[in-house]
Amino acid sequence: MDTTAGQDTARSGVLDGKVALVAGATRGAGRAIAVELARAGATVYATGRSSSGVHGRSEIDRPETIEETGELIAAAGGAGTALRVDHLVSDEVRDLVRRIDDEHGRLDVLVNDIFGGDRYAQFGTTLWEHDLAGGLRMLRMGIDTHAITSHHALPLLIRHPGGLVVEMTDGTAEYNVAYRHHEGFYYDLVKAAVQRMTGAQSHELAPHQGAAVAVTPGWLRSEKMLEAFGVTEGNWRDATRRVPHFCISESPTFVARAVVALAADPDVARWTGQVVSSGQLALRYGFTDTDGTQPDCWRYMVEVQDRNLPAGDLGYR
C-alpha cells in the first residue's frame, strides 16, 4: 500500500463542513488528494474500479485497491467513504451522486482524476501505427469518464455557491500547445480535451459562483513510477544516479496539497478556466512537498531537461 499521503498526521480543519468527491482515487495523485482533502476536514467520497472485492489485478495491471485508499483516509484522521464505481457506467455515477445528496445534501469539490489510459499508450508511434482499439479505449477512460461524472455531479455542486471542479491533467497549457509527439495522438488528445473541458465548465459554473481549474502534477512519484525505478518513497533519490532529471520529481502529496489550497481559497475563482501546476501553486500558497521542497517540474522541463542541460545547471535541486 502506498503511504506517501499519510506521512503528515496533522489535521488542519480548513475544509470542515465541505463535501468532496474524488473520482479516480485508487492510486497516485487521486489517492493522495482524497487523503489530503480528508485531512483538511472535508468529508470525502473516494471512488475507483480496482477493488479487493474483484478478483485479480486492475485493467492497468496494478495491485492497489480503493479500499486501501479508505484505510489511508481513516489513518489520516479524516472522514470518508471509499467506493467501487466505474465512471464509464452512467447509472453507477448517478447512484453515487444520489447517495452523496441523500447523506449530505451538498457537494463542494469535485475532482475528476479518472484515467489509467496510459496503459494503452504506444509512445513514439504515429496515428496510423497506434493500435486503434487501445487508442479509443484511452479516449473513453480519459474523456468520457470526466464528462459522465460532471454531468451527474454538477447539479448537486451548483446547489450551493462556491463549488469547485478540479480537472486533473498532465502538462501546463503552455507546454501542451505543441503536439506531444513522443506520447502520441491519443494521449495528446486526452490532455487537450481535459483543458477544453475545464474552460467549458468554468463558463457554465460562473453564473452559480462556481469555478473549474485544471491541475497538473509534475514528474509524479506514483506507485508505478517508484516501482519502475526500483526505489521507494523513502529512498527515491537513489534513482537520480541513473536518471539525474528525476531530481525534480514530486510525491503525490505535493499535488494533493495544491488541490487542498485551491479548495480552501475563498478567492479560487481567480484560477477558473486555467491550467495550473503543483509547483506554481506551491509558490503562491506556500505549501511544500513532504520533504520541505517546492519542485517546479514544468519550468525545469523547459529550462533544463528539454535543452539537454545537466541537472543542477540552473540551480535546481
Side-chain angles (χ1 to χ4, degrees):
M1 185 191 305
D2 174 38
T3 58
T4 49
Q7 291 180 11
D8 179 4
T9 58
R11 183 183 181 281
S12 70
V14 295
L15 296 179
D16 281 352
K18 301 292 187 181
V19 178
L21 166 57
V22 183
T26 306
R27 59 186 64 83
R31 169 176 282 187
I33 290 167
V35 171
E36 292 305 310
L37 285 171
R39 194 194 312 281
T43 297
V44 178
Y45 289 80
T47 64
R49 288 186 305 153
S50 303
S51 169
S52 58
V54 177
H55 180 70
R57 288 164 71 96
S58 70
E59 178 180 347
I60 62 173
D61 195 30
R62 294 297 309 170
E64 298 84 17
T65 67
I66 193 62
E67 289 81 9
E68 291 171 349
T69 301
E71 293 170 7
L72 288 170
I73 289 172
T81 304
L83 300 167
R84 185 184 187 278
V85 176
D86 186 340
H87 286 261
L88 280 172
V89 180
S90 178
D91 288 351
E92 291 189 19
V93 181
R94 179 202 62 206
D95 291 345
L96 166 67
V97 174
R98 285 179 177 173
R99 173 173 175 171
I100 297 172
D101 190 6
D102 290 343
E103 294 178 353
H104 297 281
R106 66 184 301 135
L107 179 64
D108 302 284
V109 181
L110 167 63
V111 181
N112 274 326
D113 184 55
I114 322 109
F115 187 41
D118 50 341
R119 151 80 169 80
Y120 298 101
Q122 296 175 321
F123 297 126
T125 64
T126 61
L127 169 59
W128 57 90
E129 293 170 329
H130 198 291
D131 174 67
L132 180 60
L136 294 177
R137 180 66 177 170
M138 195 186 306
L139 299 184
R140 289 221 70 204
M141 295 173 75
I143 299 176
D144 291 14
T145 53
H146 290 226
I148 290 168
T149 305
S150 286
H151 170 82
H152 289 292
L154 292 188
L156 180 56
L157 185 123
I158 65 174
R159 191 177 296 173
H160 299 276
L164 171 65
V165 175
V166 175
E167 289 282 349
M168 297 301 296
T169 189
D170 175 33
T172 62
E174 296 78 13
Y175 195 86
N176 287 345
V177 166
Y179 173 53
R180 295 178 64 170
H181 61 280
H182 294 297
E183 287 83 359
F185 175 86
Y186 296 100
Y187 188 93
D188 180 84
L189 182 55
V190 167
K191 300 312 172 185
V194 170
Q195 181 176 343
R196 195 67 175 174
M197 285 190 281
T198 301
Q201 291 175 95
S202 173
H203 176 83
E204 295 181 355
L205 289 171
H208 306 280
Q209 300 177 52
V213 184
V215 177
T216 177
W219 192 342
L220 192 72
R221 293 195 300 273
S222 64
E223 299 89 345
K224 181 180 180 180
M225 187 63 64
L226 291 171
E227 186 176 287
F229 277 94
V231 294
T232 67
E233 182 60 21
N235 70 339
W236 68 268
R237 289 178 182 79
D238 292 349
T240 62
R241 298 168 189 164
R242 178 160 55 97
V243 182
H245 292 304
F246 199 54
C247 67
I248 203 62
S249 67
E250 62 193 57
S251 79
T253 300
F254 191 50
V255 73
R257 289 174 175 173
V259 173
V260 169
L262 289 172
D265 185 354
D267 190 27
V268 69
R270 61 179 145 164
W271 302 107
T272 191
Q274 299 182 50
V275 182
V276 292
S277 70
S278 48
Q280 175 187 0
L281 293 176
L283 293 176
R284 178 61 66 93
Y285 289 107
F287 62 86
T288 67
D289 205 340
T290 54
D291 61 359
T293 63
Q294 292 179 314
D296 191 346
C297 175
W298 296 102
R299 179 185 165 207
Y300 178 94
M301 291 277 285
V302 172
E303 296 183 6
V304 180
Q305 185 169 324
D306 289 353
R307 292 168 59 190
N308 296 312
L309 295 174
D313 270 12
L314 298 182
Y316 292 91
R317 294 291 187 271

